[in-house]
Amino acid sequence: MGMVAISVPSFAQDHKHVDYTISAFDGYNQLGIANKKAVTASQRSVQAAFPGFYAATDKLTGQVRDIYGKAMVVPGMSIADKMAYLMDNNLKQLGISKSESRLQKITDAPHASFAYYEQYINGHKVVFSQLMARFTKDGRLQRISLKSYGRPEGITGTSPAVTRQATLDGTALTADMYAIMNVQSKNVDTEWEWFPVPGNYGYTLQPAWHYTVSGLSKHDEYMPVTLTGYVNAMTGEVLYRINEVKEEVDLVVKGNVYKDNMVDPPSDQPRANLAIVLGG
C-alpha cells in the first residue's frame, strides 16, 4: 500500500452555541409603568431645570432617564467647567449628587464633545450607573442621559454578609459551569459594588461582588470562555453573568473545505469556527 503525503484538511462541522447569560433584568421588558405620579413630577422638574427640554423617564421609578432639546448655553470655559456648573445648579435640582458623581472621561468627537460620570455611594460603585452629557462643538448642551437607580435603604453601612473569600471558595460561581466548561481560573474583585435589582416598583441596591471565571468550552475544546458577572453579597445568589468572548463576528472568511469527504475535490466555502492566533 503506497504512502501519500497530504496536507491536513478542514472539515465542516456543527458548532453548538451556548448561552451563558444570567440576568436579574430578565422580564424587565414585560413590566409596566409603575409610578405615573413620579413621571409627571420628573417632567415638571426637567422643565424647571432645563426650560424647553424634553424628558424620558424610567418605567419603574419614574425618574429621569434622558433629557434633550434645543442646544442651550452653559457657563464655563471647558467641558469640565460646564459640567461643574450643571452639577451645582441644573442637575442638583433633579436630585443628582455632585459628591456621588465621579468623572470617568471627557472625549472629543468630530461632531460633539461628551462627558461621562459614574455613581459611587459610600465609596462603592453603582453597577450600570452613568451620566452622559453631550455638547455641540461650540460648547452648548444638547443632551443628558442618566442611568440612576436610587439609593440603598437600611443597608448603607452594612458589610456584606457573604465575604469575598467565601464567594471565591463557594460554589455559586461555578454551580452550573462544570457541565458546560472546563474552569481554569476564577477571581473576585477586592471591592464590592452596589447592584440594582429590579422589582415591580423600582430598584433595590444590593452589595455585590464582581467576579470572573475563565476556561474552555466543553462543546468546543478550542473556544475560550470568560464569564464575568455579579454575586449578591448578602445572599450569595448570582445576579448577572455574561460571556465576554463573542462567538458571533460580522466577518466572512473563505477557504478550501472538504465538505463531505476527501475523495471529492475541495470547494471554496465560508470558514466557520475559526481559531485565530494574534501576535503569537
Side-chain angles (χ1 to χ4, degrees), residues 84-279:
Y85 177 88
L86 291 171
M87 288 286 185
D88 289 333
N89 295 275
N90 310 65
L91 290 173
K92 185 177 181 180
Q93 296 181 49
L94 301 181
I96 304 300
S97 171
K98 182 179 181 179
S99 62
E100 293 181 354
S101 301
R102 291 190 185 181
L103 177 64
Q104 301 303 306
K105 61 181 178 179
I106 294 177
T107 61
D108 288 317
H111 60 289
S113 297
F114 301 86
Y116 297 89
Y117 292 77
E118 290 179 341
Q119 184 184 15
Y120 282 74
I121 298 177
N122 287 4
H124 297 279
K125 176 183 172 181
V126 178
V127 182
F128 307 129
S129 66
Q130 187 183 80
L131 186 156
M132 184 279 290
R134 170 177 171 152
F135 296 85
T136 61
K137 294 308 290 182
D138 61 359
R140 291 174 296 148
L141 178 67
Q142 280 185 316
R143 185 173 192 170
I144 294 177
S145 295
L146 293 168
K147 291 182 181 178
S148 179
Y149 303 95
R151 296 185 57 80
E153 298 181 2
I155 56 174
T156 304
T158 302
S159 299
V162 183
T163 66
R164 172 185 179 272
Q165 193 61 47
T167 302
L168 191 60
D169 294 339
T171 60
L173 300 188
T174 55
D176 64 337
M177 293 184 188
Y178 289 108
I180 56 180
M181 66 181 288
N182 292 309
V183 176
Q184 296 178 328
S185 66
K186 55 183 180 178
N187 181 64
V188 176
D189 289 357
T190 56
E191 295 292 334
W192 58 269
E193 303 176 20
W194 295 109
F195 189 97
V197 180
N200 290 329
Y201 301 101
Y203 304 90
T204 302
L205 292 184
Q206 290 283 316
W209 295 108
H210 178 264
Y211 70 89
T212 302
V213 177
S214 299
L216 294 174
S217 170
K218 286 190 174 181
H219 298 284
D220 184 345
E221 60 179 325
Y222 297 107
M223 179 62 72
V225 180
T226 301
L227 302 180
T228 62
Y230 291 88
V231 170
N232 193 319
M234 304 304 288
T235 66
E237 173 191 9
V238 176
L239 295 169
Y240 190 80
R241 186 179 75 189
I242 61 171
N243 183 13
E244 290 191 343
V245 177
K246 306 307 177 187
E247 298 187 33
E248 298 180 2
V249 180
D250 187 16
L251 177 69
V252 176
V253 178
K254 291 186 176 181
N256 284 334
V257 175
Y258 293 90
K259 292 186 66 176
D260 301 313
N261 55 64
M262 293 179 60
V263 176
D264 296 329
S267 57
D268 195 35
Q269 299 289 334
R271 303 287 292 271
N273 313 326
L274 296 180
I276 302 174
V277 178
L278 300 178

